[in-house]
Amino acid sequence: MLWSHWVRPLLFCGDAEKTHYRAMTALSVAAQVPSFLSQLRSLTVVRDDRLAMEVLGHRFSNPVGLAAGFDKDARWHHWLSALGFGFIEVGTITDQPQEGNPKPRLFRLPADQALLNRLGFNNGGAEVARQRLERQAPNIVLGINIGKSKVTPNELATSSYLKSFRMLWPFAHYVTINVSSPNTPGLRALQDRQPLLELLEAIETENQRLAQAHARPPKAVLVKIAPDLNDAQVEDVVEIALEAKLAGIIATNTTIRRDGLKTSSQEIEKLGAGGISGRPVHARSCEVVRRLYRRAQGQLTIIGVGGIFNGDDAWRMIGAGATLVQVYTGFIYGGPLMVGTINRQLIEKMNSHGLTHLAQRIGQEAGN
Ligand SMILES: Cc1cc2nc3c(=O)[nH]c(=O)nc-3n(C[C@H](O)[C@H](O)[C@H](O)COP(=O)(O)O)c2cc1C
């Protein structure tokens, strides 16, 4: 009530990107007040072993993570962990710092419970993120999502990813190779078979080398794909991921499609290019996860992301084959108590379906 009737309408008045930074500044200031974070935790953290997932070499206390793009510069993960997430993915981080596209570049589509963004990987670069992570080690399972700098041509993409990978490797619980943002020209072409296989094999080779050099286990590496791939391409990604010995796939990023929206086409056209997230991508994201799950036959971990707003959506995504899920747009609309609510709803669903652990739900509706 307080969130949906008072706080959200107030936050939604201003420019979306400015509001994001203001809200995060407010959180980091409030976090300095003793007991603020523990009070927040008592409202949002759901402790129940039935939600925990042992996967990608780590224990995730619950399956609901924060998707990439929210904490692009690995600046706020320490405080965001108080909001009940099971894990947080920071980034996308590129090897060189970059401003991103001209503003305004982030818009709300309330009629569709969606966002449209063309941020374009605005971030301070891998070296700044490395220093920040060195100063403040993560207090939660941390994924690090890396991408290619805009100025780097696709022919040199592998070395751009490798540079960030090497710098950030020690701090990651898992690493995501992002080849699916619609806002970096040419990036999604890296999803084609040959360039993708080349990139992922180079990353895995470096992963093994770094593991030896640090005398630590290699990191789980996942690739993040677009919802706009056709079904054959989606299935091909599974073959490529297996060939490159990846740990998993994250599906999906934002869509460039504009069909089926409630927001008028004139309004959408006025806003211009970008990727749409939230409710409009949910059905396709679930479908992609279902295809990946069926094809991978348990050999890859799938993280499902796209239009998750509540426990029903998360339950559907896990039923389609996701072991873990992530939220971004739903969190913007749902507010700070959302993750706790989803986890409590998942427990209710397990109880009503007679399951003793959430892992039993994975792929139940993938139709194998
Ligand atoms: C404002 C915004 C920025 C995003 N930035 C990134 C990014 O930097 N890297 C990335 O892999 N995905 C990024 N995403 C995509 C999300 O991580 C997620 O895959 C997508 O939004 C679908 O989930 P959702 O419907 O819960 O938002 C961004 C999404 C939004 C809305």
Side-chain angles (χ1 to χ4, degrees), residues 23-38 40 79:
M24 285 304 100
T25 305
L27 176 66
S28 36
V29 170
Q32 308 310 314
V33 177
S35 85
F36 174 78
L37 290 182
S38 55
L40 202 53
W79 303 306

Side-chain angles (χ1 to χ4, degrees), residues 179-181 186-197 223-229 233 236-237 240:
V179 285
S180 49
S181 165
L187 187 84
R188 285 171 309 150
L190 296 175
Q191 293 174 118
D192 291 347
R193 176 165 245 289
Q194 205 43 41
L196 187 59
L197 185 61
V223 62
K224 183 165 177 179
I225 62 171
D228 306 319
L229 295 180
Q233 287 172 311
D236 219 25
V237 171
I240 296 165

Side-chain angles (χ1 to χ4, degrees), residues 31 58 96 100 126 141 166 197 200 202 208 280:
H58 301 283
Q96 299 176 46
V141 175
R166 271 184 218 114
L197 185 61
L200 298 181
Q208 299 301 328

Side-chain angles (χ1 to χ4, degrees), residues 67-69 72 91-92 106 115 117 119 121 145 178 224 252-254 277-278 281 305-307 327-329:
K72 281 186 183 277
T92 295
L106 173 60
L115 295 172
N117 94 82
L119 295 172
F121 292 168
N145 177 310
N178 182 12
K224 183 165 177 179
T252 67
N253 215 311
T254 56
S277 57
V281 293
V305 50
V327 295
Y328 189 140
T329 306

Side-chain angles (χ1 to χ4, degrees), residues 1 9 16 43-44 52 60 89-90 101 122 130 143 159 194 209 255 261 273 277 305 310 315-316 338 350 352:
M1 272 297 258
L43 293 172
T44 59
F60 294 71
E89 186 169 318
V90 298
N101 290 319
N122 53 309
R130 187 193 67 75
S159 61
Q194 205 43 41
R209 194 191 68 76
T255 180
L261 298 175
S277 57
V305 50
N310 54 42
W315 184 254
R316 192 174 303 112
M338 180 222 194
M350 270 194 285
S352 67

Side-chain angles (χ1 to χ4, degrees), residues 197-208:
L197 185 61
E198 222 173 278
L199 170 63
L200 298 181
E201 282 185 334
I203 292 279
E204 256 317 325
T205 304
E206 185 62 8
N207 194 18
Q208 299 301 328

